[in-house]
């Protein structure tokens, strides 16, 4: 089951170059992304209206995309604008066009009711253009359901077990973290504080901590992306009062876009406030390694769920954020009219 009336990340702006196309599946629907000669990002149904050949197999031709089979060309609005050697274009020669917005270095797509696609509701991520931060991005294809990935990011108590060599730490410290979970106007917020704790390996490598730190983890869920701000400062130097510039921070952007019921596009970036040469690359490389570790766990989890889909699951205290996010998604999906889901 999917949420249709929401903005999803379809890709990174820098990865979609002029005159090139990308074939992707979002929410079970085949989509072709391409950038026109003028630089516009476009998303169309990846299926020619003539004989159903994927448009992604063709070529970008100026401001349109040309089918590889018979040369029909489709503009950004989905209308066929050319049939070779034929002046009359059939009125039904068109494909679905999806609203697309480029913002904060990401390409956002709306898969639901076009009339409800308000760009003002796209979550902002100004850290991608803030000179005080250095960041890198990636795209992973995860063989797991999209809500499993949200669960994973909303509950960071797994860090000491799955990521002991990078951003993990002492398990007891993580499970005894001071935690607050609450609903917000946009979604769900989870705050975890771990005062007077030993710094994990990535923090030491990036900032050179020699003693214990006051550590924080702040997670914002805004359907359907997450922002996670984590970091630490030397003990007693104001981390919990907002004085963090002297410490180490990582700002994570997590675009969670369902591909199918059992596969997910994961568009993520990680930024840091430490601009010393080489630190941004180190943070990215170690973060990439941690997310690959998450991917392994999620895909193992999905495999077992497919084998026994009706087995009940047991919750623990740290599941509060993930469960709240699931309830919020369930509310939004129930609110969608059946006709919107059927035609999406």
């Amino acid at each position: 089951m999917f949420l249709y009336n929401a903005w999803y990340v379809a890709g990174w702006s820098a990865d979609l170059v002029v005159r090139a196309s990308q074939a992707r599946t979002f929410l079970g629907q085949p989509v072709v992304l391409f950038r026109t000669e003028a630089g516009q990002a476009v998303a169309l149904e990846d299926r020619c209206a003539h004989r159903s050949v994927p448009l992604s197999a063709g070529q970008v031709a100026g401001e349109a995309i040309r089918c590889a089979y018979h040369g029909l060309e489709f503009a950004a609005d989905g209308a066929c604008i050319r049939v070779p050697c034929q002046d009359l274009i059939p009125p039904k020669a068109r494909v679905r066009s999806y609203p697309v917005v480029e913002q904060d270095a990401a390409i956002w797509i709306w898969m639901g009711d076009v009339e409800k696609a308000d760009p003002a509701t796209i979550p902002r991520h100004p850290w991608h253009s803030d000179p005080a931060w250095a960041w890198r991005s990636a795209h992973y294809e995860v063989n797991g359901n999209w809500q499993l990935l949200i669960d994973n990011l909303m509950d960071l108590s797994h860090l000491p077990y799955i990521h002991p060599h990078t951003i993990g730490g002492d398990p007891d410290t993580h499970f005894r973290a001071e935690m607050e979970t609450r609903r917000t106007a946009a979604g769900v917020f989870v705050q975890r504080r771990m005062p007077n704790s030993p710094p994990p390996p990535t923090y030491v490598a990036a900032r050179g901590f020699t003693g214990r730190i006051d550590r924080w983890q702040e997670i914002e869920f805004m359907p359907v992306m997450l922002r996670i701000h984590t970091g630490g400062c030397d003990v007693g130097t104001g981390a919990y009062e907002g004085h963090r510039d002297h410490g180490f921070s990582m700002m994570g952007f997590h675009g969670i876009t369902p591909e199918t019921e059992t596969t997910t596009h994961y568009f993520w970036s990680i930024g840091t406030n430490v601009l010393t040469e080489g630190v941004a690359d180190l943070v990215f490389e170690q973060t990439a390694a941690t997310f690959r570790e998450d991917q392994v766990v999620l895909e193992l989890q999905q495999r077992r769920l497919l084998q026994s889909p009706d087995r009940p699951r047991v919750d623990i205290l740290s599941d509060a954020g993930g469960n709240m996010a699931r309830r919020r998604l369930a509310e939004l999906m129930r609110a969608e009219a059946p006709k919107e889901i059927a035609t999406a």
Side-chain angles (χ1 to χ4, degrees):
M1 189 173 182
F2 303 126
L3 174 65
Y4 289 90
N5 289 327
W7 288 102
Y8 289 95
V9 180
W12 294 107
S13 288
D15 293 339
L16 189 65
V17 299
V18 172
R19 297 187 298 276
S21 66
Q22 297 174 349
R24 287 190 173 142
T25 298
F26 301 129
L27 284 62
Q29 303 298 314
V31 173
V32 58
L33 300 169
F34 65 96
R35 194 177 293 283
T36 70
E37 193 76 33
Q40 179 186 1
V42 179
L44 299 180
E45 176 186 6
D46 195 10
R47 175 176 176 160
C48 181
H50 175 223
R51 289 294 182 265
S52 302
V53 170
L55 292 173
S56 57
Q59 295 179 321
V60 179
E63 302 307 297
I65 190 166
R66 180 187 302 129
C67 179
Y69 197 10
H70 294 93
L72 278 71
E73 296 181 11
F74 295 85
D77 64 356
C80 180
I81 58 172
R82 180 175 183 268
V83 179
C85 301
Q86 181 175 320
D87 294 332
L88 179 63
I89 298 176
K92 292 184 178 180
R94 64 181 307 116
V95 297
R96 182 174 179 185
S97 175
Y98 297 92
V100 167
V101 174
E102 293 193 75
Q103 177 177 289
D104 298 324
I107 301 171
W108 298 81
I109 190 170
W110 182 274
M111 300 295 293
D113 183 349
V114 174
E115 294 181 355
K116 297 181 179 180
D118 180 3
T121 62
I122 300 174
R124 298 308 307 256
H125 195 74
W127 293 269
H128 281 166
S129 57
D130 188 339
W133 292 76
W135 63 279
R136 307 285 187 274
S137 63
H139 169 217
Y140 287 177
E141 297 179 359
V142 180
N143 289 320
N145 179 270
W146 60 296
Q147 293 201 59
L148 296 181
L149 182 50
I150 294 172
D151 290 343
N152 174 270
L153 295 168
M154 294 297 293
D155 173 18
L156 300 183
S157 66
H158 69 275
L159 265 58
Y161 297 103
I162 306 300
H163 316 303
H165 304 298
T166 53
I167 57 174
D170 173 58
D172 190 61
T173 297
H174 277 270
F175 273 90
R176 293 183 183 277
E178 303 167 8
M179 189 167 75
E180 174 193 357
T181 303
R182 55 183 169 83
R183 290 282 292 265
T184 65
V188 178
F189 177 77
V190 175
Q191 177 178 267
R192 292 165 53 85
R193 291 181 173 179
M194 293 169 280
N196 195 26
S197 62
T202 296
Y203 287 38
V204 174
R207 196 62 171 179
F209 290 112
T210 58
R212 299 172 78 86
I213 63 173
D214 289 335
R215 193 173 171 186
W216 68 85
Q217 298 169 334
E218 296 168 351
I219 309 164
E220 297 176 79
F221 172 67
M222 298 163 281
V224 180
M225 65 85 74
L226 293 91
R227 180 162 47 241
I228 303 181
H229 184 199
T230 59
C233 296
D234 290 320
V235 172
T237 58
Y240 303 137
E241 289 75 46
H243 306 301
R244 299 174 174 177
D245 290 347
H246 62 286
F248 172 63
S249 285
M250 295 193 299
M251 188 67 70
F253 172 103
H254 307 268
I256 313 300
T257 306
E259 181 182 51
T260 68
E261 289 284 0
T262 58
T263 58
T264 302
H265 292 286
Y266 181 23
F267 299 97
W268 63 270
S269 76
I270 192 71
T272 179
N273 67 329
V274 180
L275 304 184
T276 306
E277 184 176 355
V279 170
D281 290 328
L282 178 147
V283 169
F284 174 79
E285 290 163 5
Q286 296 201 2
T287 300
T290 66
F291 291 168
R292 287 298 188 194
E293 291 168 341
D294 283 328
Q295 183 175 359
V296 170
V297 171
L298 293 172
E299 292 179 354
L300 289 171
Q301 186 181 9
Q302 181 65 65
R303 204 175 304 166
R304 285 292 177 265
L305 287 169
L306 287 173
Q307 291 173 339
S308 304
D310 298 324
R311 288 279 293 273
R313 66 177 194 171
V314 175
D315 291 333
I316 59 177
L317 291 176
S318 60
D319 293 318
N323 287 341
M324 194 173 288
R326 279 182 174 265
R327 288 195 293 271
R328 178 59 180 148
L329 284 169
E331 291 169 4
L332 292 171
M333 287 188 279
R334 283 196 299 270
E336 291 187 334
K339 67 179 180 65
E340 295 171 349
I341 296 175
T343 60

